[in-house]
Amino acid sequence: MDQLNGSANLMIVSDLDFTMVDHDDPENLALLRFNALWEAYYRHNSLLVFSTGRSPTIYCELRKQKPLLTPDITIMSVGTEITYGESMVPDDRWEHYLNHKWNRDIVLEETARLPELVLQSETEQRPHKVSFYLDKTKASKVMQTLSRCLEKRGLDVKIIYSNGIALDILPQAAGKGQALEFLLGKLKADGSGPLNTLVCGDSGNDAELFTVPGVYGVMVSNAQEELLQWYAENAAGSPKLIHATERCADGIIQAISKFSLGPNVSPRDIRDSMYNRKSLRPCHEVVMFYLFYERWRRAEVENSEEYVQYLKSIIHSTGNFVHPSGVDQPIHQLTDTIVNLFGDKQGVEFRVWVDRISTSMVSSGSWLVKFDKWELSGNELRCCSTKVLVNSKIDAEDQFTWMHIHQTWVDGFGEKDDMSWVI
Ligand code: GLC
Ligand code: MG
């Protein structure tokens, strides 16, 4: 977001569980497809917002388990907590605003009278969110009773049922939709409001997102019954809202295409990535290169002399590569190393993705590209903060040569002397 000058092109506001993240896909293929699309085409001028029911504690756990990109903004605990940037700076103004007609002690007192409600874990109880488990068959009756009792006690609350099991009680002013409206207002006031916003969800607590004025929406194909019911009763036929035919992150990509919101073919869906390296921007180049690297090591591309020549034409013969161990080597050695690794990860879980790409032009035709390069190999997850200097080729300005590469371990994701790391 720091790189934004003026309006963002697209703001994606997505739920996580079973929307951005498909817990039924252990390989995370749809998520990786989305990641490549976002970093190649959107990261530099768009905003990624995660809007989840999870508390900060279990949101951070999910980020350790799944290849999630770093969002620009995180909305947690069903729209009761908004944080900015990677360091997750809280929006105190929002939290203060939610105190109106809210008293969690009264909520706890009243809910204690209803034996059907089973309190969720301590981490999920937040200053403006009290959460329970509740059987589907009892949901509607319990919600009506609760709503009456709390109103009598002078509270103005919102009661939301999600995933056929979870019940959240929040201040009336909270929720994913209200939080998004607040955020859009703030961005607009700062002059960085998005041209288009796409909201994405799968369950009850996402319904409000689709009611925010002006936004496009996608319910992923695997949306929950309660959301589809809400849709049938409130929004059927709305031209800006689709029920995707694809699951999770693939449904998000489908919506980008359906509403013509920008590039919608993930680099991961382009088979011959090395041959399709024309008209690239430096960030796109980096995404394509690492995709090739993954496929080369998984033996998903041909081991042909043409590919070797391509690799040699990309990596400059006299540059330097500073390995995260600190060892400084001529960059051409790296080319030979990569060539020799063809197929060494065949049949193994091996995935590569990049996060937080940013580029800056250092002189005409020369760019510094910064990003985090993640690599999952079996159970091992490693990450290097990476800087690459790329120059556009004299005879083809939309193609690049990698001049210098400098990598350092991201804390906790690499061992200083680990020489098995390649690039
Ligand atoms: C997440 C939260 C939970 C909440 C549910 C539905 O699973 O962890 O507390 O009830 O979302 O909003
Ligand atoms: Mg969900």
Side-chain angles (χ1 to χ4, degrees):
M1 188 169 68
D2 298 342
Q3 301 169 61
L4 283 184
N5 260 327
S7 299
N9 266 358
L10 176 63
M11 177 157 95
I12 287 196
V13 182
S14 179
D15 168 54
L16 294 176
D17 295 289
F18 288 105
T19 301
M20 189 57 87
V21 174
D22 189 347
H23 293 283
D24 291 339
D25 172 14
E27 287 203 79
N28 303 304
L29 290 178
L31 180 54
L32 290 169
R33 264 199 286 276
F34 175 83
N35 290 357
L37 180 71
W38 191 260
E39 295 297 321
Y41 299 109
Y42 291 96
R43 173 64 82 178
H44 66 288
N45 67 2
S46 293
L47 287 171
L48 183 61
V49 181
F50 290 158
S51 182
T52 177
R54 289 178 178 244
S55 64
T57 310
I58 66 167
Y59 162 65
C60 291
E61 279 170 17
L62 185 69
R63 287 199 60 195
K64 285 188 205 137
Q65 293 156 2
K66 293 285 172 183
L68 282 166
L69 295 180
T70 306
D72 300 287
I73 298 163
T74 317
I75 303 175
M76 290 163 292
S77 310
V78 199
T80 63
E81 299 179 65
I82 303 176
T83 68
Y84 302 99
E86 202 194 352
S87 42
M88 296 175 67
V89 179
D91 192 318
D92 296 332
R93 202 158 66 88
W94 175 243
E95 291 187 34
H96 185 71
Y97 172 70
L98 297 183
N99 286 332
H100 180 68
K101 288 198 177 179
W102 173 250
N103 182 326
R104 66 190 313 286
D105 292 337
I106 296 181
V107 174
L108 287 171
E109 227 176 275
E110 288 300 322
T111 49
R113 293 185 219 278
L114 298 166
E116 298 90 339
L117 292 173
V118 178
L119 207 59
Q120 290 183 15
S121 71
E122 198 49 44
T123 63
E124 299 318 281
Q125 313 305 333
R126 302 293 299 162
H128 299 99
K129 167 175 173 284
V130 184
S131 295
F132 300 88
Y133 296 116
L134 172 64
D135 194 275
K136 217 189 220 175
T137 55
K138 300 176 187 149
S140 136
K141 194 157 169 274
V142 170
M143 283 165 79
Q144 280 171 20
T145 314
L146 242 174
S147 165
R148 247 180 293 141
C149 308
L150 292 171
E151 200 186 316
K152 265 198 206 138
R153 299 285 310 264
L155 301 193
D156 193 8
V157 298
K158 190 176 266 180
I159 304 173
I160 306 178
Y161 193 63
S162 301
N163 307 324
I165 182 75
L167 183 99
D168 301 312
I169 306 174
L170 325 168
Q172 186 61 249
K176 288 187 175 190
Q178 309 272 80
L180 176 56
E181 287 195 38
F182 172 85
L183 180 63
L184 283 168
K186 182 181 152 84
L187 292 172
K188 202 170 163 200
D190 295 348
S192 55
L195 297 180
N196 289 305
T197 301
L198 172 66
V199 301
C200 322
D202 77 302
S203 87
N205 68 13
D206 300 315
E208 293 199 341
L209 284 174
F210 303 114
T211 66
V212 173
V215 306
Y216 293 96
V218 53
M219 301 180 292
V220 290
S221 67
N222 50 294
Q224 293 277 339
E225 198 182 306
E226 76 261 348
L227 183 63
L228 296 177
Q229 194 183 333
W230 169 87
Y231 173 72
E233 288 165 10
N234 301 282
S238 156
K240 284 187 144 190
L241 173 56
I242 58 163
H243 183 194
T245 55
E246 303 282 343
R247 287 180 65 82
C248 299
D250 279 339
I252 300 176
I253 298 175
Q254 191 183 1
I256 295 175
S257 161
K258 163 82 186 165
F259 297 124
S260 306
L261 299 176
N264 50 59
V265 179
S266 170
R268 280 193 176 266
D269 289 326
I270 297 169
R271 285 315 304 173
D272 248 335
S273 54
M274 282 304 261
Y275 293 122
N276 282 299
R277 294 179 60 260
K278 292 215 168 70
S279 310
L280 300 186
R281 298 166 42 92
C283 45
H284 193 178
E285 161 82 16
V286 166
V287 171
M288 292 298 244
F289 171 81
Y290 277 109
L291 208 49
F292 167 75
Y293 173 75
E294 177 189 296
R295 289 173 175 167
W296 180 260
R297 294 191 67 181
R298 289 173 62 100
E300 287 177 353
V301 290
E302 229 180 288
N303 184 359
S304 69
E305 184 52 31
E306 266 170 304
Y307 276 129
V308 174
Q309 286 313 319
Y310 256 101
L311 198 57
K312 290 191 171 155
S313 77
I314 293 165
I315 296 184
H316 195 260
S317 53
T318 64
N320 284 69
F321 169 42
V322 183
H323 188 272
S325 61
V327 174
D328 192 338
Q329 51 175 271
I331 208 168
H332 66 83
Q333 276 181 16
L334 180 65
T335 322
D336 298 337
T337 310
I338 296 175
V339 169
N340 289 330
L341 287 174
F342 179 83
D344 74 317
K345 298 288 184 187
Q346 194 168 15
V348 183
E349 194 184 358
F350 179 73
R351 295 290 172 194
V352 174
W353 66 98
V354 297
D355 184 21
R356 300 199 306 140
I357 290 196
S358 69
T359 55
S360 51
M361 197 190 247
V362 283
S363 61
S364 169
S366 181
W367 303 76
L368 184 64
V369 191
K370 292 190 208 169
F371 53 94
D372 288 338
K373 184 252 169 163
W374 289 89
E375 187 173 300
L376 177 73
S377 183
N379 287 328
E380 194 185 14
L381 181 62
R382 293 180 292 176
C383 182
C384 270
S385 165
T386 306
K387 291 189 187 106
V388 182
L389 185 70
V390 298
N391 280 0
S392 51
K393 289 188 177 171
I394 294 168
D395 50 346
E397 278 183 20
D398 57 354
Q399 292 178 38
F400 299 93
T401 312
W402 294 42
M403 309 300 292
H404 298 286
I405 306 171
H406 192 144
Q407 294 192 305
T408 51
W409 292 116
V410 166
D411 262 358
F413 291 99
E415 301 282 327
K416 175 89 181 119
D417 299 322
D418 178 0
M419 296 309 288
S420 69
W421 175 268
V422 180
I423 178 174

Short mmCIF file of all heavy atoms in Angstrom, two decimals, residues 131-176:
data_model
loop_
_atom_site.label_atom_id
_atom_site.label_comp_id
_atom_site.label_asym_id
_atom_site.label_seq_id
_atom_site.Cartn_x
_atom_site.Cartn_y
_atom_site.Cartn_z
N SER A 131 -18.28 -15.18 21.10
CA SER A 131 -18.59 -16.24 20.14
C SER A 131 -18.88 -17.59 20.78
O SER A 131 -18.22 -17.99 21.74
CB SER A 131 -17.43 -16.40 19.16
OG SER A 131 -17.30 -15.22 18.40
N PHE A 132 -19.86 -18.27 20.17
CA PHE A 132 -20.33 -19.57 20.68
C PHE A 132 -20.42 -20.58 19.55
O PHE A 132 -20.40 -20.21 18.36
CB PHE A 132 -21.74 -19.41 21.27
CG PHE A 132 -21.80 -18.44 22.41
CD1 PHE A 132 -22.02 -17.08 22.16
CD2 PHE A 132 -21.62 -18.86 23.71
CE1 PHE A 132 -22.07 -16.18 23.20
CE2 PHE A 132 -21.67 -17.96 24.76
CZ PHE A 132 -21.89 -16.61 24.51
N TYR A 133 -20.59 -21.85 19.94
CA TYR A 133 -21.04 -22.87 19.00
C TYR A 133 -22.52 -23.09 19.28
O TYR A 133 -22.94 -23.02 20.44
CB TYR A 133 -20.29 -24.19 19.23
CG TYR A 133 -18.81 -24.09 18.94
CD1 TYR A 133 -17.88 -24.27 19.97
CD2 TYR A 133 -18.36 -23.80 17.65
CE1 TYR A 133 -16.52 -24.16 19.71
CE2 TYR A 133 -17.01 -23.70 17.40
CZ TYR A 133 -16.10 -23.87 18.43
OH TYR A 133 -14.76 -23.75 18.17
N LEU A 134 -23.27 -23.32 18.20
CA LEU A 134 -24.70 -23.53 18.37
C LEU A 134 -25.20 -24.46 17.27
O LEU A 134 -24.90 -24.25 16.09
CB LEU A 134 -25.43 -22.18 18.28
CG LEU A 134 -26.96 -22.21 18.23
CD1 LEU A 134 -27.54 -22.78 19.53
CD2 LEU A 134 -27.52 -20.80 18.00
N ASP A 135 -25.94 -25.47 17.69
CA ASP A 135 -26.47 -26.45 16.74
C ASP A 135 -27.38 -25.76 15.72
O ASP A 135 -28.21 -24.92 16.07
CB ASP A 135 -27.25 -27.48 17.55
CG ASP A 135 -27.55 -28.70 16.72
OD1 ASP A 135 -28.57 -28.68 15.99
OD2 ASP A 135 -26.75 -29.64 16.79
N LYS A 136 -27.23 -26.18 14.47
CA LYS A 136 -27.99 -25.60 13.35
C LYS A 136 -29.50 -25.62 13.61
O LYS A 136 -30.20 -24.64 13.34
CB LYS A 136 -27.70 -26.48 12.12
CG LYS A 136 -27.59 -25.76 10.82
CD LYS A 136 -27.53 -26.82 9.73
CE LYS A 136 -26.55 -26.46 8.65
NZ LYS A 136 -26.36 -27.48 7.65
N THR A 137 -29.98 -26.74 14.13
CA THR A 137 -31.44 -26.91 14.28
C THR A 137 -32.01 -25.95 15.33
O THR A 137 -33.21 -25.67 15.33
CB THR A 137 -31.77 -28.36 14.71
OG1 THR A 137 -31.04 -28.64 15.89
CG2 THR A 137 -31.39 -29.35 13.62
N LYS A 138 -31.14 -25.48 16.23
CA LYS A 138 -31.65 -24.59 17.29
C LYS A 138 -31.35 -23.12 17.00
O LYS A 138 -31.79 -22.23 17.74
CB LYS A 138 -31.01 -24.98 18.61
CG LYS A 138 -31.33 -26.41 19.02
CD LYS A 138 -30.61 -26.80 20.28
CE LYS A 138 -30.82 -28.29 20.55
NZ LYS A 138 -29.69 -28.89 21.23
N ALA A 139 -30.60 -22.88 15.91
CA ALA A 139 -30.06 -21.53 15.68
C ALA A 139 -31.13 -20.44 15.65
O ALA A 139 -31.04 -19.45 16.38
CB ALA A 139 -29.25 -21.52 14.40
N SER A 140 -32.16 -20.64 14.84
CA SER A 140 -33.08 -19.55 14.61
C SER A 140 -33.82 -19.17 15.90
O SER A 140 -33.96 -17.99 16.24
CB SER A 140 -33.99 -19.95 13.45
OG SER A 140 -35.29 -19.66 13.70
N LYS A 141 -34.25 -20.17 16.68
CA LYS A 141 -35.00 -19.90 17.91
C LYS A 141 -34.11 -19.19 18.95
O LYS A 141 -34.51 -18.17 19.54
CB LYS A 141 -35.53 -21.22 18.47
CG LYS A 141 -36.57 -21.04 19.52
CD LYS A 141 -37.47 -22.26 19.65
CE LYS A 141 -38.32 -22.11 20.90
NZ LYS A 141 -37.65 -22.59 22.10
N VAL A 142 -32.91 -19.71 19.12
CA VAL A 142 -31.99 -19.12 20.10
C VAL A 142 -31.65 -17.67 19.72
O VAL A 142 -31.60 -16.78 20.58
CB VAL A 142 -30.71 -19.98 20.24
CG1 VAL A 142 -29.66 -19.28 21.06
CG2 VAL A 142 -31.03 -21.34 20.83
N MET A 143 -31.48 -17.43 18.44
CA MET A 143 -31.13 -16.08 18.01
C MET A 143 -32.25 -15.09 18.31
O MET A 143 -32.00 -13.96 18.73
CB MET A 143 -30.79 -16.08 16.51
CG MET A 143 -29.39 -16.64 16.24
SD MET A 143 -29.11 -17.05 14.52
CE MET A 143 -28.80 -15.46 13.81
N GLN A 144 -33.49 -15.54 18.12
CA GLN A 144 -34.63 -14.65 18.41
C GLN A 144 -34.71 -14.33 19.90
O GLN A 144 -34.85 -13.17 20.30
CB GLN A 144 -35.93 -15.32 17.98
CG GLN A 144 -36.19 -15.21 16.48
CD GLN A 144 -37.37 -16.07 16.06
OE1 GLN A 144 -38.20 -16.46 16.88
NE2 GLN A 144 -37.43 -16.38 14.77
N THR A 145 -34.57 -15.38 20.72
CA THR A 145 -34.63 -15.17 22.17
C THR A 145 -33.54 -14.20 22.62
O THR A 145 -33.79 -13.24 23.35
CB THR A 145 -34.41 -16.53 22.90
OG1 THR A 145 -35.21 -17.50 22.26
CG2 THR A 145 -34.71 -16.44 24.37
N LEU A 146 -32.34 -14.47 22.13
CA LEU A 146 -31.19 -13.65 22.52
C LEU A 146 -31.37 -12.20 22.14
O LEU A 146 -31.10 -11.29 22.94
CB LEU A 146 -29.97 -14.18 21.77
CG LEU A 146 -28.82 -14.72 22.58
CD1 LEU A 146 -27.80 -15.31 21.67
CD2 LEU A 146 -28.23 -13.68 23.47
N SER A 147 -31.83 -12.01 20.93
CA SER A 147 -32.00 -10.67 20.42
C SER A 147 -32.96 -9.88 21.33
O SER A 147 -32.69 -8.73 21.69
CB SER A 147 -32.51 -10.80 18.99
OG SER A 147 -33.01 -9.62 18.55
N ARG A 148 -34.04 -10.54 21.76
CA ARG A 148 -35.02 -9.89 22.64
C ARG A 148 -34.40 -9.53 23.99
O ARG A 148 -34.50 -8.40 24.46
CB ARG A 148 -36.23 -10.80 22.83
CG ARG A 148 -37.49 -10.21 22.17
CD ARG A 148 -38.67 -11.12 22.36
NE ARG A 148 -38.42 -12.31 21.59
CZ ARG A 148 -38.70 -13.58 21.90
NH1 ARG A 148 -39.25 -13.87 22.93
NH2 ARG A 148 -38.43 -14.61 21.17
N CYS A 149 -33.71 -10.53 24.58
CA CYS A 149 -33.13 -10.28 25.92
C CYS A 149 -32.13 -9.13 25.90
O CYS A 149 -32.12 -8.28 26.79
CB CYS A 149 -32.35 -11.48 26.44
SG CYS A 149 -33.21 -12.99 26.40
N LEU A 150 -31.28 -9.13 24.88
CA LEU A 150 -30.21 -8.13 24.86
C LEU A 150 -30.77 -6.73 24.60
O LEU A 150 -30.29 -5.75 25.15
CB LEU A 150 -29.13 -8.50 23.84
CG LEU A 150 -28.34 -9.76 24.23
CD1 LEU A 150 -27.43 -10.22 23.11
CD2 LEU A 150 -27.49 -9.50 25.49
N GLU A 151 -31.83 -6.68 23.81
CA GLU A 151 -32.46 -5.39 23.55
C GLU A 151 -33.06 -4.83 24.84
O GLU A 151 -32.91 -3.65 25.16
CB GLU A 151 -33.54 -5.56 22.48
CG GLU A 151 -33.88 -4.24 21.80
CD GLU A 151 -35.05 -4.38 20.85
OE1 GLU A 151 -35.07 -5.37 20.09
OE2 GLU A 151 -35.94 -3.52 20.90
N LYS A 152 -33.70 -5.74 25.58
CA LYS A 152 -34.30 -5.33 26.88
C LYS A 152 -33.25 -4.77 27.81
O LYS A 152 -33.53 -3.90 28.62
CB LYS A 152 -34.95 -6.56 27.54
CG LYS A 152 -36.42 -6.67 27.24
CD LYS A 152 -37.08 -7.59 28.25
CE LYS A 152 -38.33 -8.19 27.63
NZ LYS A 152 -38.46 -9.62 27.95
N ARG A 153 -32.04 -5.31 27.72
CA ARG A 153 -30.96 -4.83 28.60
C ARG A 153 -30.28 -3.57 28.06
O ARG A 153 -29.24 -3.15 28.55
CB ARG A 153 -29.91 -5.94 28.78
CG ARG A 153 -30.41 -7.22 29.43
CD ARG A 153 -30.64 -7.10 30.93
NE ARG A 153 -29.54 -6.54 31.69
CZ ARG A 153 -28.61 -7.26 32.33
NH1 ARG A 153 -28.65 -8.57 32.27
NH2 ARG A 153 -27.67 -6.67 33.03
N GLY A 154 -30.84 -3.01 26.97
CA GLY A 154 -30.35 -1.72 26.47
C GLY A 154 -29.19 -1.82 25.49
O GLY A 154 -28.57 -0.82 25.15
N LEU A 155 -28.90 -3.05 25.02
CA LEU A 155 -27.79 -3.17 24.07
C LEU A 155 -28.31 -3.13 22.63
O LEU A 155 -29.46 -3.50 22.37
CB LEU A 155 -27.03 -4.48 24.27
CG LEU A 155 -26.40 -4.75 25.62
CD1 LEU A 155 -25.44 -5.92 25.51
CD2 LEU A 155 -25.66 -3.53 26.13
N ASP A 156 -27.44 -2.69 21.73
CA ASP A 156 -27.79 -2.72 20.31
C ASP A 156 -26.76 -3.63 19.64
O ASP A 156 -25.64 -3.22 19.36
CB ASP A 156 -27.73 -1.30 19.74
CG ASP A 156 -28.39 -1.23 18.37
OD1 ASP A 156 -29.02 -2.23 17.95
OD2 ASP A 156 -28.27 -0.18 17.71
N VAL A 157 -27.14 -4.89 19.46
CA VAL A 157 -26.16 -5.87 18.98
C VAL A 157 -26.55 -6.48 17.64
O VAL A 157 -27.69 -6.35 17.18
CB VAL A 157 -25.98 -7.05 19.98
CG1 VAL A 157 -25.46 -6.56 21.31
CG2 VAL A 157 -27.27 -7.83 20.12
N LYS A 158 -25.57 -7.15 17.06
CA LYS A 158 -25.77 -7.88 15.81
C LYS A 158 -25.44 -9.33 16.12
O LYS A 158 -24.40 -9.62 16.73
CB LYS A 158 -24.77 -7.31 14.80
CG LYS A 158 -24.96 -7.73 13.40
CD LYS A 158 -23.94 -7.02 12.52
CE LYS A 158 -24.51 -5.74 11.91
NZ LYS A 158 -23.54 -5.03 11.07
N ILE A 159 -26.34 -10.23 15.71
CA ILE A 159 -26.11 -11.65 15.98
C ILE A 159 -25.96 -12.35 14.63
O ILE A 159 -26.86 -12.26 13.79
CB ILE A 159 -27.28 -12.26 16.78
CG1 ILE A 159 -27.48 -11.44 18.07
CG2 ILE A 159 -27.04 -13.72 17.10
CD1 ILE A 159 -28.71 -11.82 18.88
N ILE A 160 -24.83 -13.00 14.43
CA ILE A 160 -24.56 -13.60 13.11
C ILE A 160 -24.28 -15.10 13.25
O ILE A 160 -23.50 -15.52 14.12
CB ILE A 160 -23.34 -12.94 12.44
CG1 ILE A 160 -23.52 -11.41 12.37
CG2 ILE A 160 -23.13 -13.48 11.02
CD1 ILE A 160 -22.34 -10.68 11.76
N TYR A 161 -24.92 -15.86 12.37
CA TYR A 161 -24.71 -17.31 12.37
C TYR A 161 -23.91 -17.70 11.13
O TYR A 161 -24.25 -17.30 10.02
CB TYR A 161 -26.06 -18.02 12.38
CG TYR A 161 -25.96 -19.49 12.70
CD1 TYR A 161 -25.49 -19.91 13.94
CD2 TYR A 161 -26.34 -20.45 11.77
CE1 TYR A 161 -25.40 -21.26 14.24
CE2 TYR A 161 -26.25 -21.81 12.07
CZ TYR A 161 -25.77 -22.20 13.31
OH TYR A 161 -25.67 -23.53 13.62
N SER A 162 -22.84 -18.47 11.32
CA SER A 162 -21.96 -18.83 10.18
C SER A 162 -21.57 -20.30 10.21
O SER A 162 -21.50 -20.91 11.29
CB SER A 162 -20.65 -18.03 10.24
OG SER A 162 -20.89 -16.66 10.21
N ASN A 163 -21.25 -20.81 9.03
CA ASN A 163 -20.69 -22.17 8.87
C ASN A 163 -21.57 -23.25 9.47
O ASN A 163 -21.09 -24.34 9.80
CB ASN A 163 -19.29 -22.28 9.52
CG ASN A 163 -18.35 -21.21 9.03
OD1 ASN A 163 -18.40 -20.82 7.87
ND2 ASN A 163 -17.51 -20.70 9.90
N GLY A 164 -22.85 -22.97 9.66
CA GLY A 164 -23.77 -23.95 10.23
C GLY A 164 -23.40 -24.35 11.63
O GLY A 164 -23.82 -25.40 12.13
N ILE A 165 -22.60 -23.53 12.34
CA ILE A 165 -22.15 -23.92 13.68
C ILE A 165 -21.79 -22.74 14.59
O ILE A 165 -21.93 -22.83 15.82
CB ILE A 165 -20.94 -24.91 13.58
CG1 ILE A 165 -20.45 -25.41 14.95
CG2 ILE A 165 -19.76 -24.28 12.86
CD1 ILE A 165 -21.32 -26.43 15.57
N ALA A 166 -21.34 -21.62 14.03
CA ALA A 166 -20.79 -20.55 14.88
C ALA A 166 -21.76 -19.38 15.04
O ALA A 166 -22.38 -18.93 14.08
CB ALA A 166 -19.49 -20.04 14.25
N LEU A 167 -21.87 -18.91 16.27
CA LEU A 167 -22.71 -17.75 16.54
C LEU A 167 -21.85 -16.64 17.13
O LEU A 167 -21.15 -16.85 18.13
CB LEU A 167 -23.82 -18.12 17.54
CG LEU A 167 -24.77 -16.96 17.81
CD1 LEU A 167 -26.03 -17.12 16.98
CD2 LEU A 167 -25.12 -16.88 19.28
N ASP A 168 -21.89 -15.47 16.49
CA ASP A 168 -21.12 -14.32 16.99
C ASP A 168 -22.07 -13.23 17.42
O ASP A 168 -23.05 -12.94 16.73
CB ASP A 168 -20.23 -13.75 15.87
CG ASP A 168 -19.25 -14.76 15.31
OD1 ASP A 168 -18.58 -15.43 16.10
OD2 ASP A 168 -19.18 -14.87 14.07
N ILE A 169 -21.74 -12.61 18.54
CA ILE A 169 -22.50 -11.43 18.98
C ILE A 169 -21.54 -10.24 18.94
O ILE A 169 -20.45 -10.29 19.53
CB ILE A 169 -23.07 -11.65 20.40
CG1 ILE A 169 -23.88 -12.96 20.41
CG2 ILE A 169 -23.93 -10.46 20.81
CD1 ILE A 169 -24.37 -13.35 21.79
N LEU A 170 -21.95 -9.21 18.22
CA LEU A 170 -21.10 -8.04 18.01
C LEU A 170 -21.91 -6.78 18.25
O LEU A 170 -23.15 -6.81 18.22
CB LEU A 170 -20.62 -7.96 16.54
CG LEU A 170 -20.31 -9.23 15.75
CD1 LEU A 170 -20.17 -8.87 14.27
CD2 LEU A 170 -19.02 -9.84 16.26
N PRO A 171 -21.23 -5.63 18.42
CA PRO A 171 -21.98 -4.37 18.44
C PRO A 171 -22.69 -4.19 17.10
O PRO A 171 -22.17 -4.63 16.07
CB PRO A 171 -20.89 -3.31 18.61
CG PRO A 171 -19.68 -4.03 19.08
CD PRO A 171 -19.79 -5.44 18.60
N GLN A 172 -23.84 -3.54 17.11
CA GLN A 172 -24.60 -3.32 15.87
C GLN A 172 -23.74 -2.63 14.79
O GLN A 172 -23.88 -2.93 13.61
CB GLN A 172 -25.82 -2.44 16.19
CG GLN A 172 -26.78 -2.24 15.04
CD GLN A 172 -27.38 -3.54 14.57
OE1 GLN A 172 -27.09 -4.01 13.47
NE2 GLN A 172 -28.21 -4.16 15.39
N ALA A 173 -22.85 -1.75 15.20
CA ALA A 173 -22.05 -1.00 14.22
C ALA A 173 -20.91 -1.83 13.62
O ALA A 173 -20.22 -1.38 12.72
CB ALA A 173 -21.47 0.23 14.89
N ALA A 174 -20.71 -3.06 14.15
CA ALA A 174 -19.59 -3.87 13.66
C ALA A 174 -20.04 -4.82 12.57
O ALA A 174 -21.16 -4.72 12.06
CB ALA A 174 -18.99 -4.64 14.82
N GLY A 175 -19.17 -5.76 12.19
CA GLY A 175 -19.48 -6.72 11.12
C GLY A 175 -18.60 -6.43 9.92
O GLY A 175 -18.04 -5.33 9.79
N LYS A 176 -18.49 -7.44 9.07
CA LYS A 176 -17.57 -7.31 7.93
C LYS A 176 -17.99 -6.18 6.98
O LYS A 176 -17.14 -5.49 6.41
CB LYS A 176 -17.50 -8.63 7.15
CG LYS A 176 -16.74 -9.73 7.88
CD LYS A 176 -16.58 -10.95 6.99
CE LYS A 176 -15.71 -12.02 7.63
NZ LYS A 176 -15.36 -13.11 6.69
#
